[in-house]
Amino acid sequence: NAGVTQTPKFRILKIGQSMTLQCAQDMNHNYMYWYRQDPGMGLKLIYYSVGAGITDKGEVPNGYNVSRSTTEDFPLRLELAAPSQTSVYFCASTNGNQPQHFGDGTRLSIL
Amino acid sequence: KNEVEQSPQNLTAQEGEFITINCSYSVGISALHWLQQHPGGGIVSLFMLSSGKKKHGRLIATINIQEKHSSLHITASHPRDSAVYICAVLQGGGSNYKLTFGKGTLLTVNP
């Protein structure tokens, strides 16, 4: 049972480039979340989804987009990378009022 | 003021000591989570509780809903307990569950 799988683990981007962070879960969870973690700060919610075809903005959505075409996958898209998006990104999933399962994170640097 | 406040921010202990990490919150919640994050590692859920006390091995979590306060205790601390401990509160219901995170407490246990 793989749980929540994030790819890639590390990435360096140039300013203005785009990329997609992948997240997949095999637990048939309805709820999926994208967070960013900056040094000295708590995790901040970027986007979340309560099921396939349904997404909503979190606390810090600017500069990001998501889609949820299947229950398993919840990719996060950066269209025009900016230095402020340098962070560690975590994907998580749950079945609502249960503990969230986190991926191992993607460390992204934008130079 | 953050909705979730943790104290202390940093804690250094000697092996064998009893550890307490505190979490206070200012919003209504469905439940409270304690999470553990090892350096460079992923995030693991330790406890989810909405009342009373839970125990798992050397870890004990308590919550006082009236006072909006929770504590995480570690008995007989060990160097492998060194990690960041994160408090997060779960808000919402129906089809809308979201976590709000504290900034974390960095625990270092020296041998």
Side-chain angles (χ1 to χ4, degrees), chain B residues 2 10 14 17 33 43 45-46 53 60 76 85 99 107:
Chain B
N2 292 329
N10 295 281
Q14 289 300 120
E17 285 185 359
H33 293 249
I43 299 169
S45 179
L46 297 174
K53 180 167 101 172
I60 304 166
Y85 291 85
L99 283 177
L107 172 65

Side-chain angles (χ1 to χ4, degrees), chain A residues 30-44:
Chain A
N30 290 323
Y31 297 78
M32 295 188 75
Y33 306 83
W34 273 107
Y35 300 99
R36 59 178 288 171
Q37 185 180 41
D38 300 311
M41 304 296 292
L43 284 94
K44 302 289 186 186

Side-chain angles (χ1 to χ4, degrees), chain A residues 31 33 35 37 48 50 90 97, chain B residues 37 90 94-97 101:
Chain A
Y31 297 78
Y33 306 83
Y35 300 99
Q37 185 180 41
Y48 67 101
V50 300
F90 287 95
N97 192 13
Chain B
Q37 184 176 27
L90 181 68
S95 63
N96 189 8
Y97 288 101
F101 298 83

Side-chain angles (χ1 to χ4, degrees), chain B residues 1 3-5 22-29 32 62-71 87 89:
Chain B
K1 188 180 189 300
E3 292 177 333
V4 182
E5 296 277 358
N22 296 300
C23 176
S24 296
Y25 54 93
S26 58
V27 295
I29 67 170
L32 184 142
T62 64
I63 188 168
N64 184 318
I65 295 293
Q66 287 73 29
E67 294 186 4
K68 295 188 175 178
H69 181 268
S70 176
S71 293
C87 171
V89 297

